[in-house]
Amino acid sequence: MDKCLFAFAFGLLMLGGCSARVVTVPPGPLIRVEGQPVSIRCDVKEYTGPSEQDFEWNMLKDAKGQKTKIISSFDSRYSDQSYSKRVASGDISVVRLQDNEVELKIAEVKLTDAGFYECQTPSTDYVISGNYMAQVQLTVIPNTLKVSPKTPPPVISEGSDLTLSCNVTRELIHPTYLSVTWSVKKGTTSEEILTYGPQGDVVTGSRFARRYAEGGIRLVPGRNGVFELVISRMTTSDEGNYECNGTEWTHESGGNWIKIVESTKEMGTVAVTPTEPNFTLTLVAEVNPQTTAEPTELACRVTNIANLPLGGRLGVSWEHTSLPGGDPQTSHPIGSLDANGNLLPGSIYMERMKSGALTLSRVQPNTFKLRILRTQEIDMGQYVCSVSAWSVNSQGDMVKTSENRSSPLTVRWDTKRPIVNVVAKRIREASVGGSTFELGCSVTTQNIGDAGYSVLIQSQDSLDSTVRTIMTLSPDNVVQHGGATDPNRRDNLVLTKSGAAEFRFRLAGVQLSDRGYYWCDVTAWTKQQPGQAWTKASSSESNKIRINFLENGPSFSIAIKSDDSSVYPWETAKMECSLSVSGSSPKTDDLAYEVKWFFTRLRGGPASVQVASVDRFGVVRKINRNSSSDPVSSVVSSDSGEYFCSVTPWYLSASTGAWTEAQELTSSKVFLAVKFAVWDSLKLPLLYGASASLGVGLFSLVLGLVCAQCCCRNTAHLPRSRNKLMDLEMD
């Protein structure tokens, strides 16, 4: 507890309780044999510091004797002089298995290597706690194991017993245990038969377990290290090179059995002379076809059977070889019936057997038949039946012991070869990208009755390039897309049967990648019976139709116009940039434009500035100028100059299916004059001045009248004289 408190006060690095380093080596003593490899593992746990720990190995002749440095995992100069050469040669090495585990390896241990081996780990802990080293004792004993097998007879008759004798001994210096193993080698493959020991237990190989349990293999321990293995009722499958292996074991305190030395000696090769049954085969044609589609029936009869063991059975296999003169002449297995009557069809005849068009049967214990319901031309050739004899082995399984082949029987007839002719014609021409190409194929046949047709639409870029399959149509009118078909364009492909022997292929939205040669590959099929599988009769390819067109994109032209050629300041000027499309015109949704507007102050001036733009996605960008913050608002006097636009068209190409950039177009220039009139510029100030002057004059007149009436009037009233002349004079 004091150490834990010290560690906490010193470093404040302890995250949990106090842990103690533990260094572990295998429990001893370890008993090993001179000249054999030795491995001693060492690991450390409950430590702090870096995850990767270092290790040092020392050797002591006794538990508390003087240490001799052997090897270190981090210091190449650690080894003592007595071990440095063995470390340098690799006889002694240390291998890191994990960050906290290493293995000391001695390639060939010596008697002088016996002693105590100490594994030590340098400290990386915050607190010195636990053990930092561990020892294990290694005992080295001389190699006294001897394996002396007895040579078995080289040849033995089938059904006889074989005794394998092997003497395994060693000098008992320390408590060790022995085991003996018998195995049989065939070629380069060795298979264990039985192992006895090291504590009296018996382990058998997987193939011999049942045979040992039934008493077919017996172990007979002898005296003075002699062990015998008896194999009863030998068969040809027991042939091989037999070996005897002796192994010396030690049982360590950890509870594990450790193999310390072994020795394998060859006993000798044993051949088994089989006792084969004898019989005679006769292959005859009970039904021989005279024309195509007639049945064929062959019988394979077994006679004069001898030496067939009790419980033995017969099996048969059939084989067909094409007629001589074929290039090359091939042979194919039709199928077989094993001793238990199981049918094993050949790969190319499997479908015909499933449909019942071809059957194999055993009509009697010694008679087998092959029947073809409707014989085709491919069935002509030579037939052979092979009859095999099967017997019950020591494990109760049926094994093939012998096999005889019949003489070949030729089945053929005069026949007219079926002929298929295919003619392709162009129904719709693909002259431009995006148009529709249509191909028609007409089939005519000879020497074929009611037939179904399978069609392959094939193409190639050039006459010497790779052939691609676009679409297929089965005789049952099932359409499939070939591997060369783009999944995104499958809706553009159509293959239909337009007549009893006519087919049409249509390719919509032709692209540049579709250019090349197209044709039909037609195969005629017949059925031996309604509901049965199709049988190939003949096939042929049509002539080739070419798709060849050039990429003719749309043509564009540009024009610019202005509503007025001159405007007054603060009026709005409207200009239009028009684009027309001609030629192969795509749909409206397949067109987009990039538009830019430019301005030149002087007529014919070289310097132009961009005033606005619209990208092909419809985003408008305005470029501010010194005289105006908005290029499309009311004009000012500085807006006089030449205007023009440039347009870059984009169109979705029907030939490639991708957006294509067309050549940039630039319009002609229009001149806009902003007029400056003196009267127009002064009329407003003059109007405002006149109005102000008139208003001041009227106000002054009114004010004078008011003052005259109110301030200058005579309040003394004199009566007017009645003398009118005087009044007139006064007035």
Side-chain angles (χ1 to χ4, degrees):
M1 181 63 70
D2 292 339
K3 292 181 179 179
C4 291
L5 294 175
F6 173 79
F8 178 77
F10 179 78
L12 296 178
L13 297 174
M14 299 294 290
L15 300 177
C18 182
S19 60
R21 176 181 289 255
V22 179
V23 178
T24 307
V25 294
L30 306 178
I31 301 176
R32 298 294 184 267
V33 174
E34 179 186 11
Q36 300 299 309
V38 174
S39 298
I40 305 176
R41 294 195 178 189
C42 177
D43 64 75
V44 58
K45 299 178 181 177
E46 305 297 333
Y47 60 89
T48 58
S51 59
E52 185 176 291
Q53 293 289 293
D54 292 313
F55 296 83
E56 298 172 343
W57 287 91
N58 303 312
M59 192 269 189
L60 302 83
K61 287 298 182 181
D62 53 66
K64 296 183 179 180
Q66 184 179 359
K67 298 181 182 180
T68 303
K69 297 180 179 180
I70 303 176
I71 194 170
S72 170
S73 65
F74 66 97
D75 187 0
S76 60
R77 298 174 297 178
Y78 181 80
S79 305
D80 185 78
Q81 186 176 1
S82 59
Y83 286 99
S84 59
K85 290 184 179 180
R86 297 179 67 183
V87 171
S89 65
D91 183 44
I92 297 178
S93 61
V94 61
V95 179
R96 181 176 295 277
L97 304 178
Q98 299 182 39
D99 288 344
N100 65 331
E101 185 177 7
V102 296
E103 184 178 51
L104 176 67
K105 304 186 75 173
I106 303 176
E108 294 183 3
V109 70
K110 302 177 181 179
L111 292 175
T112 56
D113 291 332
F116 292 85
Y117 285 77
E118 179 184 86
C119 175
Q120 178 177 331
T121 61
S123 175
T124 59
D125 304 322
Y126 305 120
V127 178
I128 305 302
S129 177
N131 68 305
Y132 288 77
M133 62 186 67
Q135 287 185 353
V136 60
Q137 183 181 3
L138 174 65
T139 301
V140 183
I141 62 175
N143 188 356
T144 60
L145 178 65
K146 294 182 180 180
V147 178
S148 302
K150 184 179 179 181
T151 303
V155 179
I156 190 172
S157 300
E158 186 176 14
S160 302
D161 294 346
L162 174 65
T163 300
L164 302 174
S165 179
C166 191
N167 188 4
V168 181
T169 60
R170 54 75 171 86
E171 295 181 9
L172 189 60
I173 303 174
H174 286 274
T176 60
Y177 304 84
L178 293 177
S179 69
V180 58
T181 300
W182 288 270
S183 60
V184 59
K185 189 175 183 181
K186 298 180 180 181
T188 59
T189 304
S190 182
E191 184 178 11
E192 288 190 3
I193 302 174
L194 182 141
T195 299
Y196 174 68
Q199 271 198 319
D201 52 331
V202 176
V203 179
T204 59
S206 59
R207 193 168 68 89
F208 299 93
R210 178 179 174 182
R211 197 168 178 181
Y212 174 78
E214 295 176 351
I217 297 178
R218 305 189 309 275
L219 176 66
V220 184
R223 297 181 179 180
N224 300 324
V226 177
F227 301 89
E228 291 183 347
L229 185 70
V230 179
I231 303 177
S232 302
R233 294 172 299 192
M234 292 283 288
T235 64
T236 54
S237 62
D238 295 324
E239 290 183 332
N241 187 8
Y242 285 85
E243 297 175 334
C244 176
N245 172 278
T247 304
E248 190 171 0
W249 301 77
T250 180
H251 190 259
E252 296 180 350
S253 57
N256 298 324
W257 284 99
I258 304 298
K259 182 190 299 184
I260 57 177
V261 67
E262 65 177 339
S263 176
T264 301
K265 296 293 182 65
E266 289 188 358
M267 304 182 71
T269 302
V270 177
V272 178
T273 304
T275 304
E276 296 183 356
N278 295 322
F279 47 83
T280 303
L281 294 181
T282 304
L283 179 59
V284 296
E286 295 187 346
V287 178
N288 202 358
Q290 301 300 316
T291 61
T292 304
E294 288 188 353
T296 300
E297 188 172 311
L298 308 181
C300 183
R301 297 189 177 93
V302 184
T303 57
N304 302 326
I305 302 176
N307 298 327
L308 186 65
L310 183 64
R313 299 178 184 177
L314 299 177
V316 67
S317 62
W318 294 87
E319 184 178 302
H320 171 251
T321 304
S322 57
L323 288 173
D327 188 20
Q329 187 176 6
T330 56
S331 178
H332 300 286
I334 300 173
S336 64
L337 293 171
D338 63 11
N340 295 318
N342 298 315
L343 174 62
L344 303 174
S347 58
I348 65 175
Y349 291 91
M350 185 177 299
E351 293 298 327
R352 297 179 68 180
M353 288 190 183
K354 287 182 179 179
S355 64
L358 188 150
T359 59
L360 303 180
S361 61
R362 185 201 309 265
V363 295
Q364 294 180 3
N366 62 339
T367 303
F368 304 92
K369 283 192 176 183
L370 165 65
R371 190 170 191 274
I372 303 175
L373 189 60
R374 296 184 64 186
T375 311
Q376 304 297 315
E377 183 182 352
I378 58 174
D379 296 325
M380 289 195 296
Q382 294 181 337
Y383 289 82
V384 173
C385 68
S386 299
V387 175
S388 56
W390 297 68
S391 61
V392 182
N393 66 0
S394 57
Q395 298 179 354
D397 299 326
M398 297 295 296
V399 295
K400 185 189 296 186
T401 57
S402 64
E403 186 174 22
N404 289 350
R405 288 172 58 89
S406 70
S407 299
L409 175 64
T410 301
V411 175
R412 67 179 303 168
W413 61 93
D414 293 332
T415 181
K416 295 181 180 180
R417 296 186 60 85
I419 299 175
V420 175
N421 294 317
V422 187
V423 177
K425 62 179 179 179
R426 181 186 287 107
I427 299 177
R428 296 177 67 178
E429 175 70 39
S431 57
V432 295
S435 60
T436 299
F437 169 75
E438 190 166 354
L439 172 72
C441 291
S442 300
V443 183
T444 58
T445 61
Q446 298 179 20
N447 304 323
I448 300 177
D450 294 336
Y453 301 99
S454 63
V455 181
L456 278 68
I457 302 299
Q458 296 183 316
S459 71
Q460 58 184 165
D461 295 335
S462 60
L463 295 178
D464 56 352
S465 62
T466 303
V467 175
R468 303 185 301 267
T469 299
I470 307 299
M471 297 187 75
T472 63
L473 179 67
S474 72
D476 298 317
N477 295 325
V478 177
V479 177
Q480 291 183 337
H481 292 275
T485 302
D486 184 355
N488 297 324
R489 301 185 63 201
R490 290 186 174 179
D491 292 340
N492 296 348
L493 301 174
V494 178
L495 176 59
T496 59
K497 185 176 182 180
S498 57
E502 293 183 356
F503 305 89
R504 285 196 178 187
F505 168 69
R506 184 167 64 251
L507 171 59
V510 173
Q511 300 180 1
L512 285 176
S513 59
D514 297 323
R515 293 187 298 183
Y517 296 90
Y518 291 77
W519 68 93
C520 297
D521 187 339
V522 179
T523 301
W525 302 79
T526 59
K527 282 189 176 182
Q528 297 180 352
Q529 277 188 351
Q532 294 186 347
W534 291 100
T535 301
K536 181 178 178 180
S538 183
S539 61
S540 178
E541 291 184 355
S542 70
N543 54 305
K544 298 182 179 181
I545 304 297
R546 188 178 184 184
I547 297 178
N548 188 21
F549 65 93
L550 298 177
E551 168 66 18
N552 295 321
S555 299
F556 300 91
S557 60
I558 188 172
I560 187 172
K561 68 177 182 178
S562 175
D563 290 350
D564 297 302
S565 60
S566 62
V567 294
Y568 289 105
W570 314 115
E571 289 185 347
T572 299
K574 182 179 179 182
M575 301 179 189
E576 291 184 356
C577 187
S578 302
L579 195 73
S580 59
V581 185
S582 61
S584 177
S585 178
K587 299 178 181 178
T588 304
D589 294 339
D590 296 341
L591 288 173
Y593 305 98
E594 295 179 2
V595 184
K596 297 178 182 178
W597 285 90
F598 297 92
F599 166 70
T600 304
R601 294 191 181 278
L602 299 178
R603 184 184 296 271
S608 300
V609 294
Q610 183 176 336
V611 296
S613 66
V614 181
D615 64 14
R616 66 189 181 103
F617 302 105
V619 179
V620 179
R621 292 181 176 85
K622 302 176 182 179
I623 291 83
N624 294 334
R625 294 175 290 142
N626 294 333
S627 60
S628 175
S629 60
D630 190 347
V632 295
S633 63
S634 301
V635 299
V636 296
S637 59
S638 60
D639 291 329
S640 294
E642 287 184 327
Y643 291 83
F644 65 95
C645 62
S646 67
V647 178
T648 302
W650 289 78
Y651 62 93
L652 188 63
S653 174
S655 301
T656 62
W659 282 95
T660 303
E661 181 181 2
Q663 184 178 3
E664 183 181 21
L665 303 174
T666 302
S667 71
S668 59
K669 297 180 180 180
V670 296
F671 188 82
L672 178 66
V674 181
K675 295 183 292 184
F676 185 79
V678 176
W679 169 247
D680 291 338
S681 61
L682 295 180
K683 63 182 179 180
L684 289 179
L686 292 176
L687 179 61
Y688 293 153
S691 300
S693 300
L694 181 61
V696 172
L698 291 175
F699 178 75
S700 300
L701 180 61
V702 173
L703 181 63
L705 291 176
V706 172
C707 291
Q709 290 293 329
C710 297
C711 299
C712 300
R713 185 177 180 182
N714 186 8
T715 58
H717 180 69
L718 295 177
R720 177 173 293 188
S721 174
R722 295 184 179 271
N723 192 341
K724 296 182 179 179
L725 294 176
M726 185 177 293
D727 292 338
L728 180 60
E729 183 179 357
M730 290 294 296
D731 294 334

